[in-house]
């Protein structure tokens, strides 16, 4: 049932573009594993071996710390509608913050979304495709608006204060490199 590739085919790129959610997993050599669901319009394929995704302000920032210490990343897409399919992307990633040259260039690929925090770029080393027959069928009703509404309400100064307080240190006590001031 499973298949492995070393690049993103056009049909895989189309499949990923159709999905409303993806999951990002990271881990350092020691400590906790982080697995985060991501949605909204925050994923882009750059070419057949490279992707990026826009990270929004949230309650934690484990992914940034993990990438700074051990740059491996796994991204998972699964079909909740249509034909069953699971696609996993394995690779190494970099994190870019506002002010980094790469951030500015990559940010133009996305719509302006309040709460934008970082962009992660991943070099895809392995693509694994599996059946997904155990994944439930679920209907998409829409994106939640609470995160964007919250970010708008915070304004840039409020978001910076929140990030400094809640996003600057990982669960394992390590820096996320986001703190300012």
């Amino acid at each position: 049932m499973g298949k492995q590739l070393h690049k993103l085919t056009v049909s895989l790129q189309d499949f990923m573009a159709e999905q409303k959610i993806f999951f990002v997993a990271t881990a350092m050599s020691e400590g906790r594993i982080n697995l985060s669901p991501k949605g909204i319009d925050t994923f882009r394929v750059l070419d057949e071996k490279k992707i990026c995704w826009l990270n929004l302000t949230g309650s934690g920032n484990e992914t940034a710390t993990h990438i700074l210490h051990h740059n491996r990343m796994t991204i998972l897409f699964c079909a909740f509608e249509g034909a069953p399919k699971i696609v996993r992307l394995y690779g190494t990633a970099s994190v870019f913050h506002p002010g980094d040259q790469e951030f500015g260039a990559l940010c133009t690929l996305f719509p302006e979304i309040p709460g934008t925090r970082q962009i992660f770029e991943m070099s895809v080393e392995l693509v694994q495709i599996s059946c997904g027959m155990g994944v439930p069928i679920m209907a998409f009703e829409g994106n939640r608006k609470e995160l964007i509404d919250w970010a708008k309400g915070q304004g840039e100064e409020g978001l910076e204060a929140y990030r400094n307080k809640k996003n600057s240190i990982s669960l394992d006590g390590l820096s996320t490199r986001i703190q300012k001031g």
Side-chain angles (χ1 to χ4, degrees), residues 55 60 72 74 112-113 121 140 144 162 164:
N55 195 26
R72 63 189 170 155
T74 300
E112 191 172 316
I113 302 175
E121 183 180 76
F140 178 71
R144 296 181 189 269
Y162 180 87
N164 284 339

Side-chain angles (χ1 to χ4, degrees), residues 36-42 53-60 112-118 142-156 158-159 162-163 166-167:
S36 296
K38 304 295 178 186
I40 310 177
D41 185 16
T42 57
W53 58 274
L54 182 72
N55 195 26
L56 304 175
T57 301
S59 58
E112 191 172 316
I113 302 175
T116 293
R117 179 172 63 185
Q118 298 140 326
N143 287 311
R144 296 181 189 269
K145 298 185 181 355
E146 292 88 348
L147 182 64
I148 291 172
D149 290 346
W150 172 83
K152 284 179 185 175
Q154 295 298 307
E156 282 307 314
L159 284 169
Y162 180 87
R163 290 177 191 134
K166 299 278 191 176
N167 293 168

Side-chain angles (χ1 to χ4, degrees), residues 60-121:
N61 199 10
E62 297 305 296
T63 304
T65 297
H66 290 176
I67 294 305
L68 291 172
H69 292 272
H70 199 307
N71 66 347
R72 63 189 170 155
M73 179 181 282
T74 300
I75 295 179
L76 176 130
F77 287 88
C78 52
F80 292 106
E81 299 175 312
K85 182 185 278 191
I86 296 171
V87 175
R88 290 177 184 87
L89 310 178
Y90 298 94
T92 55
S94 299
V95 56
F96 304 117
H97 298 86
D100 293 339
Q101 181 178 0
E102 297 89 345
F103 181 90
L106 292 170
C107 202
T108 64
L109 302 173
F110 300 95
E112 191 172 316
I113 302 175
T116 293
R117 179 172 63 185
Q118 298 140 326
I119 295 177
F120 290 86
E121 183 180 76

